[in-house]
Amino acid sequence: MKNHPLPPADMDRMVADILSGMSLKEKSLIANMDEKSLPYLQYAFDVYLGRDVGDDPETGKEIMRRIWQTLQQTHRIRLVKKGR
């Protein structure tokens, strides 16, 4: 991870705040996106986060990546095999 102007604890708090404001549908959509699609969401997050992270695009990318990784673990649709 590169150095960012925000300490990791502040980034974690920001990620938690953003996730708490998202609907289940939004979380599920992002969780099921492939990592290559994240730049399509980046602009919206940069606009939203701009007032909090300033002009550092790397910080916005890192926050977006953390949101996606968290949602990959918690909200991704998985196939469940039916037992006998």
Side-chain angles (χ1 to χ4, degrees), residues 27-46:
K27 290 176 182 177
S28 182
L29 286 170
I30 292 172
N32 288 291
M33 289 179 79
D34 129 331
E35 190 170 11
K36 293 176 187 171
S37 300
L38 291 180
Y40 297 111
L41 288 179
Q42 193 63 50
Y43 176 75
F45 275 93
D46 288 346

Side-chain angles (χ1 to χ4, degrees), residues 10-51:
D10 288 348
M11 273 198 201
D12 291 341
R13 200 171 12 260
M14 194 173 280
V15 167
D17 287 347
I18 291 167
L19 288 172
S20 71
M22 292 175 76
S23 70
L24 179 58
K25 182 178 180 178
E26 291 167 330
K27 290 176 182 177
S28 182
L29 286 170
I30 292 172
N32 288 291
M33 289 179 79
D34 129 331
E35 190 170 11
K36 293 176 187 171
S37 300
L38 291 180
Y40 297 111
L41 288 179
Q42 193 63 50
Y43 176 75
F45 275 93
D46 288 346
V47 169
Y48 178 76
L49 295 173
R51 62 185 177 268

